[in-house]
Amino acid sequence: MSADSKQPQPPDDWAAATADSTSLLLSNARLTDGRTVDVRLGGGRIEAVGTAGSLTAVGARVDLAGYLLLPAPAEPHAHADTALSADSPGPVSYAPEEVQRRATEAALLQLGHGATALRAHVRIGDVQGLGPLEAVLQARRSLRGLADLTTVAVPRVLTGVAGADGLAMLRDALKMGAGVVGGCPDLDPDPAGYVEAVLEVAAEHGCPVDLHTDGDDPARLARLAAMAGGLRPGVTIGPCAGLARLPAEAARRAADQLAAAGVTVVCLPQGGCGATELRGAPPVRLLRAAGVRLAAGGGALRDVSNPVGRGDPLEAAYLLASLGGLPAVDAYGAVSAAARTAMGLAEVRVEAGFPAELLAVRGERLSGVLSLAYSRIVVHRGRVVARTSAVREYCDSAAALDLPRQARPEPGSPPAGPVVRS
């Protein structure tokens, strides 16, 4: 017996909806403001939004009755080189073919959850050199058309005698195709010098910066904010869990400094990552109150740092709402609009003219979607690239009960009884 409402069957033109095409109509979709609309996509963008039944399908059509249509989330903090390695027997393999396989599988897993764009931090140097980065770049090429993957080069040491090799390798990584300068200043003997070196290389290449830091040292954060203030296209730090352990006044001063410098904080409410020791989330309400741009990511995905990571943006948003106390709309914004901004991506709205990067989730309201979201349809560049359908079943003894459904029928529609499967 199914507790889900009647699952939408793939339409006759479902294959066309997943193919590269010039037009796709999403019909009967519910928006967060309560409207039910048709959305026509074309050329990778939203062409028109009208009341349900007002738009005609030029190409393929997907019926989204019972689904909430949202701007697609993005993943601003993944670790593609170590993802899905927790169950590896013995030491983690960094053979290029193995890293490429894991990175591709992880990206597809996150795409299935709704993330159509990902930023992957990849360690460079040590005995692996640039091999893992090349493997992740190869994964990026294989994912073209399904998801957009950007790589962050993460060197270990950039100061002192050992730092010369790190700086040379960082510049080589950018020439290879890494799009962001990253790093872990907390692990360098001279954290301030590390940040200065990163910012200098980023300025040379016109790249954004994305650094790992626990954020538990107010003086170090103040120096970082002072140095990062003028850099464009911008500086992101995270996961900053240590901010939550600072005295309230010190945390407020740090938040004010980060906001004034225009630094974005990416928190990892689902866990952490191997580049930082502290788990947990920073004081998200304090950061938002100070005007800090706050985004959320997944971090470790089933590696030694978090063997049960899910890589699900909706779970990250759920935790921000449930544990962080953010309203549902702000929590989802942290994994969608704010995450896209942190990654330098174009804004997405369910309005004409915006990129067709969309996520349809079975449910009525955003709070319910964050609470329980199984069935999902993912749209990237105007075509369906992933679909997940879920049916919950109960034993026959529950047949007489009026069981709840993931999505209630619209007012005026006949009630649907439980579906009994023989």
Side-chain angles (χ1 to χ4, degrees), residues 289-310:
V292 176
R293 290 192 292 263
L294 178 74
L301 176 57
R302 299 184 203 167
D303 65 16
V304 67
S305 301
N306 186 3
V308 295
R310 292 183 180 176

Side-chain angles (χ1 to χ4, degrees), residues 263-323:
V263 173
T264 298
V265 172
V266 174
C267 63
L268 305 177
Q270 296 173 88
C273 61
T276 56
E277 296 180 356
L278 300 179
R279 289 175 175 264
V284 294
R285 287 187 292 180
L286 183 150
L287 290 171
R288 285 180 58 84
V292 176
R293 290 192 292 263
L294 178 74
L301 176 57
R302 299 184 203 167
D303 65 16
V304 67
S305 301
N306 186 3
V308 295
R310 292 183 180 176
D312 185 351
L314 295 191
E315 183 182 54
Y318 158 78
L319 291 170
L320 286 179
S322 177
L323 299 181

Side-chain angles (χ1 to χ4, degrees), residues 218-401:
R220 191 177 299 170
L221 278 179
R223 288 193 296 271
L224 188 154
M227 288 187 285
L231 184 71
R232 295 295 179 266
V235 175
T236 298
I237 63 172
C240 295
L243 270 173
R245 296 168 174 82
L246 294 179
E249 185 56 36
R252 277 193 292 269
R253 281 197 304 270
D256 289 340
Q257 291 162 346
L258 295 174
V263 173
T264 298
V265 172
V266 174
C267 63
L268 305 177
Q270 296 173 88
C273 61
T276 56
E277 296 180 356
L278 300 179
R279 289 175 175 264
V284 294
R285 287 187 292 180
L286 183 150
L287 290 171
R288 285 180 58 84
V292 176
R293 290 192 292 263
L294 178 74
L301 176 57
R302 299 184 203 167
D303 65 16
V304 67
S305 301
N306 186 3
V308 295
R310 292 183 180 176
D312 185 351
L314 295 191
E315 183 182 54
Y318 158 78
L319 291 170
L320 286 179
S322 177
L323 299 181
L326 293 187
V329 64
D330 293 338
Y332 187 74
V335 300
S336 56
R340 290 184 64 86
T341 299
M343 297 164 67
L345 301 173
E347 181 183 9
V348 174
R349 299 181 191 173
V350 188
E351 298 177 13
F354 285 87
E357 304 289 324
L358 302 168
L359 171 63
V361 187
R362 178 162 287 278
E364 289 183 303
R365 297 175 180 84
L366 188 56
S367 57
V369 161
L370 296 189
S371 176
L372 193 67
Y374 294 132
S375 298
R376 308 183 191 187
I377 296 173
V378 186
V379 175
H380 173 55
R381 297 187 181 179
R383 73 180 182 116
V384 175
V385 291
R387 180 169 66 99
T388 302
S389 296
V391 176
R392 176 177 293 153
E393 297 183 339
Y394 295 90
C395 64
D396 290 342
S397 62
L401 300 176

Side-chain angles (χ1 to χ4, degrees), residues 44-366:
R45 306 192 78 81
I46 299 173
E47 287 186 341
V49 178
T51 57
S54 67
L55 301 181
T56 56
V58 178
R61 175 180 174 273
V62 175
D63 186 2
L64 292 183
Y67 281 77
L68 189 69
L69 186 62
L70 302 164
E75 174 51 72
H77 194 115
H79 282 267
D81 54 342
T82 58
L84 307 178
S85 62
D87 296 330
S88 300
V92 175
S93 171
Y94 287 95
E97 62 275 11
E98 183 64 18
V99 174
Q100 181 183 343
R101 182 194 63 79
R102 293 198 308 258
T104 304
E105 185 179 347
L108 290 175
L109 175 65
Q110 292 168 299
L111 174 65
H113 290 316
T116 62
L118 305 97
R119 176 180 279 188
H121 294 254
V122 183
R123 287 178 290 185
I124 61 173
D126 298 328
V127 296
Q128 288 82 29
L130 294 171
L133 176 63
E134 175 55 38
V136 176
L137 290 172
Q138 184 60 40
R140 180 183 70 176
R141 289 187 282 269
S142 68
L143 290 163
R144 188 171 292 124
L146 293 173
D148 295 327
L149 177 64
T150 303
T151 54
V152 185
V154 182
R156 182 170 180 83
V157 178
L158 292 181
T159 65
V161 176
D165 289 340
L167 281 170
M169 191 163 292
L170 178 58
R171 290 186 169 94
D172 288 342
L174 295 172
K175 294 175 184 176
M176 285 176 57
V180 184
V181 180
C184 311
D186 296 359
L187 302 181
D188 193 280
D190 179 6
Y194 188 105
V195 172
E196 185 176 356
V198 162
L199 295 177
E200 181 179 340
V201 173
E204 289 174 6
H205 291 80
C207 294
V209 170
D210 196 334
L211 296 173
H212 288 78
T213 180
D214 284 327
D216 57 354
D217 186 328
R220 191 177 299 170
L221 278 179
R223 288 193 296 271
L224 188 154
M227 288 187 285
L231 184 71
R232 295 295 179 266
V235 175
T236 298
I237 63 172
C240 295
L243 270 173
R245 296 168 174 82
L246 294 179
E249 185 56 36
R252 277 193 292 269
R253 281 197 304 270
D256 289 340
Q257 291 162 346
L258 295 174
V263 173
T264 298
V265 172
V266 174
C267 63
L268 305 177
Q270 296 173 88
C273 61
T276 56
E277 296 180 356
L278 300 179
R279 289 175 175 264
V284 294
R285 287 187 292 180
L286 183 150
L287 290 171
R288 285 180 58 84
V292 176
R293 290 192 292 263
L294 178 74
L301 176 57
R302 299 184 203 167
D303 65 16
V304 67
S305 301
N306 186 3
V308 295
R310 292 183 180 176
D312 185 351
L314 295 191
E315 183 182 54
Y318 158 78
L319 291 170
L320 286 179
S322 177
L323 299 181
L326 293 187
V329 64
D330 293 338
Y332 187 74
V335 300
S336 56
R340 290 184 64 86
T341 299
M343 297 164 67
L345 301 173
E347 181 183 9
V348 174
R349 299 181 191 173
V350 188
E351 298 177 13
F354 285 87
E357 304 289 324
L358 302 168
L359 171 63
V361 187
R362 178 162 287 278
E364 289 183 303
R365 297 175 180 84
L366 188 56

